[in-house]
Amino acid sequence: MTTPAAGDPTDSRPSRVVEPAAPETAAGPGRLIVLEGGDGAGKSTQAGLLVEWLRQRGRPVTMTFQPGGTALGQRLRRILLDPAVGDLDPAAEALLYVADKAQHLAEVVRPALARGEVVVSDRYVDSLLAYQGAGRDLDPAALARLADQWGVGGLRPDLTILLDVEVGQGLGTIAAPDRLEQAGDDFHQRVRDGFRRLAAADPDHYLVVDGRAPVAAVAQTVRQRVAALLDQD
């Protein structure tokens, strides 16, 4: 007897249904801390300072970023950010970001959390919701479900640090803007508004900091909030 191929209309076998993952915070003994914000907000600088401080306190740390924290992610990053690529369909752009997140979670984030490390990530799901949801005007609820189910498996940060800057202040610091950075002030204002809405909706899991404050002052504010989180361990 020949077994029908998957997708064959004569196949009477029940289809495999993938249920959305239940929301969860960092699994196991590790902690997931994410830095978010618009372009030029200082995320990379603050992520580096936070990692240095955590290591001084004796905490094992993995520092990573999205998109691009894996070999596959590096290839996807070039497609997504190279100005020579030109316009991408917003849905195609969003799906590429979700693919980056799925690989990143499987290869970097979840293994580090399972080892009991603090994972400090420059960008996570909020960037997808802000840039492709608010910025590209994609359905935010559908995008959130896609990210949770296929991108990160429902894994949410223990803390998201939002470095908030006005659009002109952030973009004005960038010498060679990438494809998204060239999207225009209206786009980036929608992105900023999207980030702020996400933070306002869940204040217990966010720290919103003025990204234009002195670097040392921002770092100190971040350390105080992270120390309070880690003291719960």
Side-chain angles (χ1 to χ4, degrees):
M1 178 177 178
T2 302
T3 302
D8 188 324
T10 66
D11 186 1
S12 61
R13 294 172 297 172
S15 300
R16 179 173 178 264
V17 177
V18 180
E19 297 292 342
E24 56 171 315
T25 53
R31 292 286 193 171
L32 176 57
I33 299 171
V34 174
L35 287 97
E36 292 281 15
D39 294 288
K43 297 180 305 303
S44 299
T45 297
Q46 290 300 328
L49 292 172
L50 177 58
V51 166
E52 179 182 359
W53 176 77
L54 286 167
R55 287 175 176 159
Q56 290 172 351
R57 287 170 58 97
R59 296 294 298 236
V61 184
T62 288
M63 180 177 176
T64 189
F65 62 98
Q66 297 181 357
T70 65
L72 173 64
Q74 287 291 341
R75 295 190 176 200
L76 293 173
R77 183 181 181 89
R78 286 194 290 271
I79 295 170
L80 288 163
L81 300 184
D82 185 352
V85 171
D87 292 336
L88 287 174
D89 179 82
E93 184 180 83
L95 289 168
L96 290 174
Y97 275 108
V98 172
D100 169 77
K101 294 181 191 309
Q103 186 65 26
H104 188 242
L105 265 287
E107 187 174 331
V108 178
V109 176
R110 287 191 182 275
L113 292 175
R115 294 191 299 267
E117 298 180 14
V118 179
V119 177
V120 176
S121 181
D122 183 341
R123 296 200 182 284
Y124 195 64
V125 172
D126 281 9
S127 282
L128 177 74
L129 301 179
Y131 279 82
Q132 282 66 54
R136 299 298 193 202
D137 199 27
L138 296 178
D139 181 348
L143 199 56
R145 289 194 299 271
L146 177 66
D148 273 354
Q149 181 172 349
W150 293 107
V152 300
L155 182 66
R156 295 181 179 174
D158 294 287
L159 174 65
T160 298
I161 300 157
L162 174 59
L163 301 180
D164 182 46
V165 296
E166 293 183 8
V167 170
Q169 291 178 324
L171 292 174
T173 65
I174 299 171
D178 62 33
R179 194 180 67 85
L180 282 184
E181 291 162 354
Q182 295 176 0
D185 286 355
D186 289 345
F187 170 83
H188 286 282
Q189 186 60 55
R190 293 194 298 274
V191 170
R192 184 191 183 200
D193 293 343
F195 276 126
R196 289 161 67 94
R197 284 194 297 270
L198 290 167
D202 190 13
D204 289 344
H205 288 91
Y206 284 80
L207 170 65
V208 181
V209 185
D210 180 0
R212 293 298 93 189
V215 170
V218 173
Q220 181 60 28
T221 300
V222 168
R223 289 168 186 166
Q224 289 175 347
R225 181 62 178 272
V226 172
L229 172 68
L230 297 182
D231 285 346
Q232 300 171 16
D233 292 346

